[in-house]
Amino acid sequence: MKTQEAATGFNSTNIADHPLTFAFHFFSFSIKMPFPEPFLDRMKSDMGQEFPDFLNALEQPAPVSIRLNPAKGLVAFSNAEPIPWHPDGHYLPERPVFTLDPRFHAGGYYVQEASSMLIHEALRQTVGLGQDLKVLDLCAAPGGKSTLLVSALGRAGFLLSNEVIQNRVGPLKMNLEKWGHANVAVSNHDPEDFEKLAGFFDVVLVDAPCSGEGLFRKDEDAARHWSAASVELCSARQRRILTAGLELVQEGGILIYSTCTFNQQENGDNVEWLASQGFEFVKLDLPETWGVTEQKWGYQCYPHRVQGEGFFFAVLRKTGGSQAIKLKNNPPKDWQRFPEKQLSIFEGWLSQPSDFAFFTKPDDAIVAVPLVLADSFFTVGASLKRRSLGLEIGELKKNDLVPSHTLALANELHPDLPKADLSKDQALHFLKKENLWETDWQRGWTLASFEGLPIGWMKVLDNRSNNYLPTNWRIRMDL
Ligand code: SAM
């Protein structure tokens, strides 16, 4: 059986078999890849006596952790070790093949390294959880922190999840669709394109592209591409992203800066610079038992102290500058408001259709925008060209709704829709886009479900069913 993990050529069982090295495989032979010497020299001088422990931790396999989706209510991993700083986070004793877990495809949980989940605690201690906030994740793909942010908002706030690199937007959207929230918009822009949204956001997260020193033990590419020059380049790029990002925060709002690297140029220096640009450093209260190292300009996770990767983060509050901008309350010009007298179509599909405004886009897709957040969606719609707004519901065909896959995964789905409870084996065959059928399944649109979580639509006929899983969502692995 060929797993996704194997397809990368990376075999974690070889990580620890040579000091200062990790291994990757190419066909049948393995090449030892040393950690870069200048990196080790610098860490030795930065860490002093702790260096041997640090190095030893780098030679161990990376811990595996997941974060449950509270909106989906999956009951699982209850015996797994909890992550102290996130109520939904768990360490797993070993790495399962996530592709073969239907609950993963249903958005029941996200696979995320544990240190990154500290962002949840940073929000809790600063702006609070479940608040009506406008949040921007400026460097969002593949979406780990976006799913964390939107869970921290619940249904109350608005998240704009942005990714500049076009081919990373698809995976980002997929992960957010699985997560199921209707209060998220996705955009595909360079941070410098956001000038019309200056002062719009209460929270901006810049989870910056970095030299990746904190990922060396799980990503051989990070070590292979590292050089002192790449650290300089990353630091300059981060400064450019932050220069654009800091304008987007409204006065009193917060900017969270994070990387997965250890060096001063990319971390502390950038935060110190932010503190000279109308921001003040916000100190957090993190229990000592968590092992996070407090530095002058931020918080660093080292792998010998924290069970997770080398994450760095800092929270800054904007003390002056941008005022909140005036919000727009008109939908995009090419959207048609859905006719009032046809709105009853959505009853039975959504748990609270009256919470939404419905529109038809030029490609005939119907989207639902949460009424209480419509001005945020429309302001983003009027300010950015490449964006997707609203929960995609489906299309009308001869006055009947053909529901979208996004709707199958949405947290707003009506709980009484017909469901076919599949075994794990059936669910995996459904996810391979095979047509399944059982006599007692309700005819018509039926949710293929596993352990109560929808994974897609089937149209059940008298002697067969049609599987409506989009082809690009299909799992390619052999079962
Ligand atoms: N926040 C993501 C998560 O938790 O899943 C990880 C983000 S990753 C550390 C950094 C992201 O920044 C990448 O998706 C990368 O494509 C994007 N990026 C690269 N260059 C960029 C630039 N010049 N401006 C903004 N984002 C950039």
Side-chain angles (χ1 to χ4, degrees):
M1 189 184 294
K2 190 164 177 282
T3 65
Q4 273 183 344
E5 289 88 341
T8 65
F10 182 59
N11 181 341
S12 63
T13 57
N14 289 293
I15 289 178
D17 63 5
H18 192 280
L20 313 192
T21 68
F22 68 93
F24 68 95
H25 288 257
F26 187 63
F27 299 112
S28 58
F29 60 92
S30 71
I31 300 167
K32 298 290 180 191
M33 182 81 191
F35 292 127
E37 277 302 329
F39 162 75
L40 292 173
D41 291 345
R42 196 198 72 223
M43 291 310 296
K44 200 171 193 171
S45 113
D46 287 355
M47 307 220 56
Q49 288 179 353
E50 286 190 42
F51 181 71
D53 290 343
F54 167 78
L55 195 54
N56 182 44
L58 275 196
E59 289 162 5
Q60 307 307 314
V64 181
S65 49
I66 58 98
R67 183 168 39 75
L68 291 167
N69 183 347
K72 301 246 177 184
L74 172 67
V75 182
F77 308 112
S78 42
N79 293 330
E81 185 187 341
I83 295 175
W85 45 88
H86 199 297
D88 304 315
H90 294 276
Y91 293 107
L92 304 189
E94 58 195 19
R95 189 177 187 88
V97 181
F98 290 111
T99 306
L100 296 183
D101 184 356
R103 304 170 303 179
F104 171 68
H105 299 277
Y109 61 91
Y110 192 92
V111 184
Q112 184 173 47
E113 75 82 20
S115 319
S116 302
M117 299 184 203
L118 282 158
I119 296 293
H120 174 88
E121 182 62 17
L123 293 170
R124 195 186 71 76
Q125 289 190 25
T126 53
V127 290
L129 304 174
Q131 301 297 312
D132 175 11
L133 299 168
K134 298 182 201 66
V135 179
L136 169 65
D137 186 358
L138 193 53
C139 311
K145 300 203 185 54
S146 279
T147 59
L148 180 148
L149 291 168
V150 77
S151 289
L153 288 171
R155 291 177 93 225
F158 168 79
L159 173 70
L160 175 60
S161 188
N162 180 69
E163 169 57 43
V164 63
I165 298 182
Q166 199 190 356
N167 64 14
R168 296 188 184 173
V169 178
L172 171 65
K173 281 174 86 169
M174 261 187 185
N175 283 329
L176 287 166
E177 284 171 33
K178 282 191 215 169
W179 213 243
H181 279 256
N183 47 341
V184 186
V186 174
S187 61
N188 171 213
H189 277 277
D190 188 279
E192 289 174 5
D193 298 340
F194 281 72
E195 69 279 352
K196 286 192 185 141
L197 291 169
F200 179 63
F201 296 98
D202 303 291
V203 178
V204 172
L205 170 65
V206 176
D207 185 36
C210 69
S211 60
E213 293 165 0
L215 301 177
F216 279 3
R217 71 176 168 180
K218 70 172 196 181
D219 177 2
E220 77 271 23
D221 272 350
R224 194 149 7 110
H225 294 141
W226 185 96
S227 66
S230 77
V231 168
E232 296 296 333
L233 276 172
C234 286
S235 175
R237 180 167 57 183
Q238 289 150 356
R239 193 67 66 91
R240 277 198 303 280
I241 297 173
L242 286 170
T243 304
L246 65 86
E247 297 295 341
L248 310 179
V249 185
Q250 67 169 271
E251 190 173 343
I254 64 164
L255 189 151
I256 305 178
Y257 175 63
S258 60
T259 71
C260 44
T261 208
F262 298 117
N263 67 74
Q264 176 68 17
Q265 290 106 301
E266 295 182 69
N267 294 345
D269 288 357
N270 277 330
V271 179
E272 184 173 10
W273 174 79
L274 277 169
S276 69
Q277 304 296 309
F279 283 81
E280 67 186 12
F281 181 76
V282 179
K283 225 168 137 49
L284 302 174
D285 184 11
L286 306 178
E288 239 180 85
T289 50
W290 292 2
V292 181
T293 303
E294 184 172 343
Q295 298 176 333
K296 182 164 181 218
W297 294 110
Y299 298 90
Q300 181 81 62
C301 301
Y302 290 108
H304 60 296
R305 289 176 164 270
V306 175
Q307 238 195 103
E309 299 315 286
F311 188 59
F312 167 88
F313 71 104
V315 184
L316 295 113
R317 191 178 303 282
K318 193 159 191 172
T319 52
S322 323
Q323 300 294 319
I325 62 168
K326 197 166 168 334
L327 300 180
K328 305 269 189 296
N329 48 23
N330 292 319
K333 288 199 179 66
D334 55 358
W335 286 17
Q336 298 281 330
R337 197 172 277 275
F338 201 81
E340 191 90 21
K341 57 178 188 298
Q342 281 184 292
L343 286 177
S344 57
I345 285 178
F346 304 115
E347 278 163 26
W349 292 99
L350 294 173
S351 52
Q352 294 287 346
S354 57
D355 287 353
F356 293 90
F358 295 88
F359 301 89
T360 308
K361 297 202 296 181
D363 62 359
D364 290 336
I366 301 167
V367 289
V369 174
L371 285 168
V372 290
L373 300 172
D375 50 4
S376 292
F377 277 95
F378 298 157
T379 305
V380 165
S383 308
L384 298 172
K385 284 202 181 82
R386 291 186 302 282
R387 75 292 192 258
S388 71
L389 311 170
L391 173 69
E392 202 175 310
I393 300 291
E395 276 184 33
L396 278 192
K397 293 250 163 84
K398 296 191 194 136
N399 278 340
D400 283 332
L401 185 73
V402 177
S404 70
H405 186 60
T406 312
L407 181 63
L409 301 173
N411 302 327
E412 307 291 340
L413 197 66
H414 198 292
D416 296 338
L417 278 157
K419 281 196 181 89
D421 289 316
L422 306 182
S423 66
K424 185 169 181 189
D425 190 53
Q426 283 177 313
L428 290 172
H429 282 280
F430 176 85
L431 290 165
K432 283 194 77 75
K433 205 167 163 54
E434 292 171 19
N435 295 321
L436 313 174
W437 191 80
E438 281 192 18
T439 8
D440 56 349
W441 287 348
Q442 191 165 323
R443 305 301 184 253
W445 290 111
T446 292
L447 287 161
S449 302
F450 178 69
E451 293 188 5
L453 301 181
I455 52 176
W457 293 107
M458 301 188 281
K459 192 150 189 195
V460 182
L461 309 172
D462 281 337
N463 53 1
R464 65 186 172 91
S465 78
N466 294 327
N467 182 330
Y468 276 74
L469 187 80
T471 309
N472 60 329
W473 285 70
R474 197 183 136 247
I475 57 177
R476 283 171 185 80
M477 199 171 158
D478 294 336
L479 299 183

